Amino acid sequence: MKYAKTEAKAHARETMRGIWAAALNPFDETLALDEVGLRRNIRHWIDDLGIQGLFIAGKQGEFWSLSLDERKRNMSLAVEECAGKAGTIMSISDQSVDTVLELGRHAQDCGADYVVVHAPMLSFCHDRDEVLYNYYKYLCDRLDIGIAMWSHPDSGYLMAPETCARIAELPNIMAIKYSVPREMYVRLTQMVGDKILVSTSAEDDWLDNIEELGWQLYLCSSPPYQIQTRNDQRMNEYTELAFAGKFDQARRVRDSLNPVREAIRSTKPGGKPTAHGKYWQSLLGQVGGRVRHPMLELTEAEKAATRAAFESCGLRL
């Protein structure tokens, strides 16, 4: 480990800054993980797009479809390819706490910087505060790596800001990816923003969160490599303008990306977000690949509509 457990919060505040992206995993025609393609994407994201950290084996990476060995391989490959040029945070989320711990120990051993664990599904449980606190404490007691909380609707509930604030006191809790309504993450930032890094994946809100909440970290989704190219890095540009306090300029640059955002939103089928993201990647020259069950592939008509929107959205290739 690059830091002691008790240094996790300080280390994260020092090293997690700017834009971190969640990696889609490309699968080849046999539905095997395309390792060559993933390595190529990672190099492009880091070397050409300047992405500062990667979220590996999460929902964007279809982690639910990966075997335990594949998830470990996914982590190791990312650490090798980032090679100190970008940070890594590994999703070790699972309903089995033993699997979470096994993946967490692998992340420590392979050289990952941090891990993230989503709130578990809690069937029939309505009074969750003590359950969730003890869940994260159990993991913190057994892992030395910095751990980020992750709350999202897929768990069937949202972690209350008060619950998150209590968990934030644990020594190696250093961040949260808080996929909740804005009023909830504003409240949590006001409560513990000086202790842990609070972030959400909504790119549209990133600039406002820098200006109004003092956020330093975008953690994270696919926009950093889907609305940018080697020759068109407006997300990076408006981020740095905002960090420099030039908010009017930053807003103009941010808003200039609205046609790109609309092209993505208007062509993404409600039941096929992952396939759409991968096809958009392929239009950008990245390796997209197939999706695994239960996700569905795009039809030819859906591809044609996406391609037409892509060609007219104004991204400079």
Side-chain angles (χ1 to χ4, degrees), residues 23-38 41 57-67 70-71 74 274-275 278 281 287-295 297:
L24 285 155
N25 272 327
F27 300 117
D28 65 21
E29 287 304 309
T30 71
L31 294 183
L33 180 63
D34 183 349
E35 294 192 7
V36 173
L38 180 57
N41 284 346
K59 291 193 295 180
Q60 297 283 357
E62 298 171 75
F63 79 89
W64 60 81
S65 74
L66 301 174
S67 70
E70 284 178 318
R71 294 180 73 179
N74 199 184
T274 310
K278 291 185 178 186
Q281 278 186 279
V287 181
R290 296 185 60 189
V291 296
R292 284 183 174 177
H293 293 291
M295 308 309 288
E297 300 285 0

Side-chain angles (χ1 to χ4, degrees), residues 121-258:
M121 291 183 288
L122 296 175
S123 302
F124 314 118
C125 184
H126 301 291
D127 186 3
R128 305 183 185 97
D129 182 76
E130 199 65 29
V131 178
L132 290 167
Y133 178 80
N134 279 281
Y135 177 72
Y136 281 101
K137 184 177 187 304
Y138 184 87
L139 299 175
C140 286
D141 287 347
R142 289 160 178 79
L143 294 173
D144 295 324
I145 197 167
I147 299 174
M149 296 177 277
W150 185 10
S151 180
H152 53 71
D154 295 0
S155 297
Y157 61 91
L158 298 175
M159 292 172 64
E162 292 79 8
T163 301
C164 297
R166 184 182 178 202
I167 295 168
E169 298 294 335
L170 295 168
N172 45 328
I173 295 291
M174 32 57 71
I176 182 171
K177 183 178 179 182
Y178 208 24
S179 303
V180 299
R182 193 168 193 267
E183 59 269 20
M184 290 179 68
Y185 68 68
V186 168
R187 185 176 175 190
L188 182 62
T189 302
Q190 293 168 343
M191 294 169 71
V192 295
D194 60 335
K195 295 177 182 175
I196 66 170
L197 299 173
V198 182
S199 187
T200 195
S201 59
E203 181 269 329
D204 303 48
D205 296 336
W206 170 224
L207 171 54
D208 293 336
N209 292 334
I210 298 172
E211 182 176 12
E212 298 171 17
L213 302 178
W215 282 12
Q216 69 177 59
L217 175 66
Y218 176 80
L219 182 75
C220 52
S221 191
S222 52
Y225 56 83
Q226 290 185 333
I227 66 173
Q228 297 195 111
T229 71
R230 179 186 290 107
N231 298 312
D232 192 342
Q233 296 185 28
R234 280 175 279 173
M235 186 177 179
N236 287 341
E237 183 181 350
Y238 83 68
T239 296
E240 291 307 315
L241 285 168
F243 282 158
K246 301 176 181 178
F247 296 111
D248 289 341
Q249 294 178 53
R251 270 187 286 276
R252 286 193 290 272
V253 177
R254 178 197 62 185
D255 293 348
S256 74
L257 283 166
N258 284 339

